[in-house]
Amino acid sequence: MTRVLACSDIHNNINAVRQLRAREVNDYDAVIVAGDIGSDRPDEVFDILRTFDCPVLYVLGNWDHRLEHRRNFGAQCHHLHLTPYPVGDLSIIGESIDGIDQEWEASSAAAADDAAIDRQAHLARQRAKLAAIVAAQAPERTIVVSHYRLTKTQTFLPGVPLFLFGHIHRFEDTNYRGQRFLNVSALDKKVMVARKGERVKPGDYRYLNDGSYVVISHSQSAGFSVEPRRFDPDFSGWERIEGIFLSSATEVE
């Protein structure tokens, strides 16, 4: 049995990573982050995740525009961009193309008048590389990780059984034409609250983190099983404030 803990959308929220670590023991073959680590405090994020004492595998998302693709977060940490990593009898590979692709951003073509056309051509070349790498191994034992959900996978990644992604900030587990797409959800999901029964101003609002993640198990006989897990904070005594978030709000202890 191979067991993987997967999350996404940390958004620089170190306390959310600490909450995750406090809830889980060292019982995993890998930890996967499907992008949006955050560009402000990545070293602190990986310092905590490395304590799981297993490989930490990640891709970059739209919050990670200041993180270099080749940045070293420690020997346990591996950027999955077009680079497969073996975990048990599985191969896990990713792409950071749709989140942030620094090769493209650094190219002079990004400033050209026909940048949109060049961008699509660049993505097609990168997707061709990803497809060739997956085809050269065993697609049926491969997990592909990205930040946004990949499309047209039956065409360029046939045979891959499981795709992990984030970005949408809600858990989803769907099957389409024999392939499974799993939104591992957001570790950072702040919910604005105010104390029940009290008249408060917006400056008195607080927040609770209702973040979530998933545990994925795999065996050759049973295939993949997925267990979503939520922080599920105690909202008793608090009233939800819908539709807004104040960056100045502090978290409820």
Side-chain angles (χ1 to χ4, degrees), residues 102-218:
Q102 292 187 343
E103 179 183 338
W104 169 259
E105 297 296 335
S107 71
S108 58
D113 291 337
D114 57 348
I117 297 173
D118 288 344
R119 171 87 173 156
Q120 291 303 313
H122 173 75
L123 292 178
R125 289 192 295 271
Q126 294 285 51
R127 292 284 166 81
K129 291 179 184 178
L130 177 62
I133 294 169
V134 171
Q137 40 192 27
E140 69 278 5
R141 292 199 301 274
T142 297
I143 297 175
V144 175
V145 184
S146 59
H147 184 55
Y148 298 136
R149 175 172 171 166
L150 298 182
T151 60
K152 300 180 180 179
T153 54
Q154 297 81 20
T155 300
F156 82 101
L157 291 171
V160 172
L162 182 62
F163 296 84
L164 308 184
F165 64 103
H167 187 64
I168 302 175
H169 301 179
R170 65 177 181 269
F171 172 76
E172 290 182 351
D173 186 358
T174 59
N175 286 276
Y176 182 71
R177 295 186 179 179
Q179 295 181 312
R180 192 171 183 177
F181 298 84
L182 180 62
N183 185 335
V184 299
S185 203
L187 206 63
D188 169 57
K189 191 172 184 180
K190 298 180 179 72
V191 179
M192 298 294 297
V193 294
R195 290 193 181 277
K196 285 184 178 178
E198 296 185 8
R199 296 186 65 178
V200 296
K201 304 182 296 295
D204 298 322
Y205 291 167
R206 309 281 294 282
Y207 73 84
L208 288 164
N209 185 23
D210 196 16
S212 59
Y213 56 100
V214 301
V215 172
I216 303 167
S217 301
H218 177 267

Side-chain angles (χ1 to χ4, degrees), residues 8 72 76 95 133 140-141 144 154 192 239 248 252:
S8 73
N72 184 1
Q76 286 174 242
E95 66 141 21
I133 294 169
E140 69 278 5
R141 292 199 301 274
V144 175
Q154 297 81 20
M192 298 294 297
E239 179 182 355
S248 60
V252 176

